[in-house]
Amino acid sequence: MTDATLHDTSYEAGMGDYFALLKPRVMSLVVFTALVGLLVAPVPVHPFIGFVGILCIAVGAGASGALNMWWDADIDAKMKRTAKRPIPDGRVQPGEALGIGLTLSGFSVVLLALATNFVAAALLAFTIFFYAVVYSMWLKRATPQNIVIGGAAGAFPPMVGWAVATGGIAVESVLMFALIFMWTPPHFWALALFVKTDYGDAGVPMLTETHGRRSTRNHILIYTLLLVPVALALGFTSIGGPVYLATAVVMNAWFLKGAYDIWRRDDAASEADKHKVEIKTFKVSLYYLFAHFVALLIDAVLRTSGVV
Amino acid sequence: MAIKVEHELHERRRGRNSGVGLLLVGFVAIVFGLTVVKVLQLGEAKQFEKFDHVARPQIIPQEGDQ
């Protein structure tokens, strides 16, 4: 008997299975926003220290993803979208995910503190805590507002990136946080209106199911209205500029139009054209965030090259 | 069924071991790189170089030094 036959019945995870625990797609968004936060900051950072800072933020985000998968393995198994994740699929043991999550959290926070500063490290630690504990453990199964408050976890990376460069918190970094924080609910609810989810089966309260789709449409419009002043305000801080302001005006008008279109129609109309407006607005919301952050980057480049 | 010397499990284990190996090498490279950058950022070594339990004739001010 070889050792292979001994272990043949239980699957042993490969490197890719562990990597999947870190939610690589979420990580790429985190890297992008954190990088913009770092690059638009008025303090130059040594490229290698900047690289290590972004790497730590990415690993910290991945670690919180692993902790989330460990905690949510039971509900992930019940939903089609998440049933193929490493733990419910049996490729990774829950204990392994917990171990990886905790180890990487510790490593990323300590390394960030040593490589950059304690403010950035403390913010990263809080982000991990917020996503793994506040969102996953406390809010997700308890309230339909889970996506609103939980959105904060995804909004922290540019603040951490800013802190890597400056060692502090400023109105600019808080507004970058607020931009993602306010953008998350309408973005997510637009998706919830056209994707058939099975959150209900898993016992996760979602606005579309607890308060109905009409209320979700109202919520999208209200949150988009609240988002607009935040996005425009960022343009009047030290990191804003002509490119950002022009982008913000166009993108906010576009997103607001989509939110208004979603609000003014009902489900019958939505079903009739296969959720055309909802799908379009969801796509606009993706361009919206990307365009704002790219515009911040362009303005930063124009400033350093002395054009504006 | 013939017993294969190279089982699929061995392949997966090798992949995992190489992955962990690469991560460790990467970690060492990062710590080394950080050390180099942080030390270079300290500026001129003479500014903070001290005797450190041994005589360092090269840092004793010489005649003609400013």
Side-chain angles (χ1 to χ4, degrees):
Chain A
M1 189 184 256
T2 65
D3 61 342
T5 49
L6 263 176
H7 291 90
D8 229 3
T9 48
S10 67
Y11 181 88
E12 265 190 46
M15 207 58 194
D17 298 320
Y18 291 130
F19 187 63
L21 280 178
L22 308 183
K23 300 194 176 179
R25 275 171 57 196
V26 177
M27 227 194 228
S28 61
L29 186 70
V30 166
V31 166
F32 171 64
T33 56
L35 188 65
V36 173
L38 187 148
L39 292 176
V40 300
V43 186
V45 185
H46 187 284
F48 190 75
I49 292 188
F51 163 73
V52 174
I54 296 294
L55 187 70
C56 287
I57 298 171
V59 172
S64 62
L67 292 173
N68 166 273
M69 285 203 200
W70 163 71
W71 182 258
D72 278 347
D74 58 333
I75 51 176
D76 281 351
K78 291 179 192 160
M79 295 190 287
K80 214 184 276 172
R81 184 176 67 87
T82 53
K84 286 282 163 203
R85 281 181 175 174
I87 302 177
D89 204 29
R91 286 176 288 141
V92 172
Q93 296 303 309
E96 290 180 295
L98 175 65
I100 288 172
L102 290 176
T103 309
L104 291 183
S105 300
F107 257 83
S108 58
V109 171
V110 171
L111 190 62
L112 190 62
L114 294 173
T116 64
N117 57 72
F118 285 102
V119 175
L123 276 171
L124 181 64
F126 185 71
T127 308
I128 297 170
F129 168 79
F130 199 92
Y131 186 65
V133 178
V134 178
Y135 172 70
S136 302
M137 296 184 186
W138 295 346
L139 298 172
K140 190 172 175 182
R141 302 172 197 222
T143 161
Q145 295 295 314
N146 48 17
I147 199 69
V148 179
I149 310 162
F156 275 115
M159 252 181 114
V160 187
W162 176 279
V164 163
T166 65
I169 296 168
V171 66
E172 290 88 347
S173 70
V174 173
L175 278 172
M176 281 192 281
F177 166 89
L179 179 67
I180 305 181
F181 181 67
M182 294 307 298
W183 163 88
T184 309
H187 159 78
F188 186 82
W189 287 327
L191 175 77
L193 279 177
F194 66 84
V195 168
K196 288 264 175 293
T197 60
D198 33 15
Y199 283 110
D201 303 335
V204 179
M206 277 295 149
L207 197 65
T208 39
E209 288 167 27
T210 56
H211 290 64
R213 301 169 68 86
R214 179 67 255 164
S215 169
T216 306
R217 290 175 191 278
N218 300 343
H219 273 76
I220 289 175
L221 183 62
I222 294 166
Y223 274 83
T224 310
L225 282 170
L226 293 172
L227 168 67
V228 173
V230 172
L232 293 177
L234 191 53
F236 296 100
T237 64
S238 71
I239 59 170
V243 178
Y244 179 86
L245 271 174
T247 309
V249 168
V250 173
M251 293 310 295
N252 278 283
W254 199 12
F255 194 19
L256 202 54
K257 162 91 171 51
Y260 174 73
D261 288 344
I262 287 183
W263 173 76
R264 83 181 169 164
R265 70 197 209 138
D266 56 15
D267 270 2
S270 182
E271 294 285 346
D273 65 1
K274 295 203 174 88
H275 314 295
K276 208 170 156 192
V277 173
E278 288 75 9
I279 293 170
K280 193 181 157 215
T281 308
F282 174 74
K283 283 185 184 160
V284 170
S285 78
L286 288 171
Y287 304 143
Y288 178 95
L289 197 70
F290 187 69
H292 275 81
F293 276 84
V294 168
L296 283 176
L297 212 49
I298 294 172
D299 274 330
V301 171
L302 293 179
R303 253 194 321 277
T304 40
S305 56
V307 178
V308 285
Chain B
M1 198 178 89
I3 298 173
K4 280 191 285 180
V5 179
E6 181 70 12
H7 192 272
E8 186 266 334
L9 181 65
H10 292 128
E11 201 180 305
R12 202 160 50 220
R13 273 186 196 161
R14 193 181 306 115
R16 206 168 60 187
N17 292 342
S18 334
V20 172
L22 280 175
L23 283 179
L24 288 174
V25 170
F27 182 65
V28 169
I30 284 172
V31 173
F32 178 69
L34 273 178
T35 310
V36 171
V37 170
K38 294 254 173 193
V39 169
L40 288 178
Q41 279 182 342
L42 291 171
E44 177 57 47
K46 267 192 175 177
Q47 301 296 316
F48 55 89
E49 206 174 26
K50 290 287 178 266
F51 288 94
D52 200 21
H53 307 296
V54 283
R56 306 287 293 277
Q58 71 271 29
I59 61 170
I60 297 171
Q62 303 292 312
E63 257 182 70
D65 278 2
Q66 287 296 314

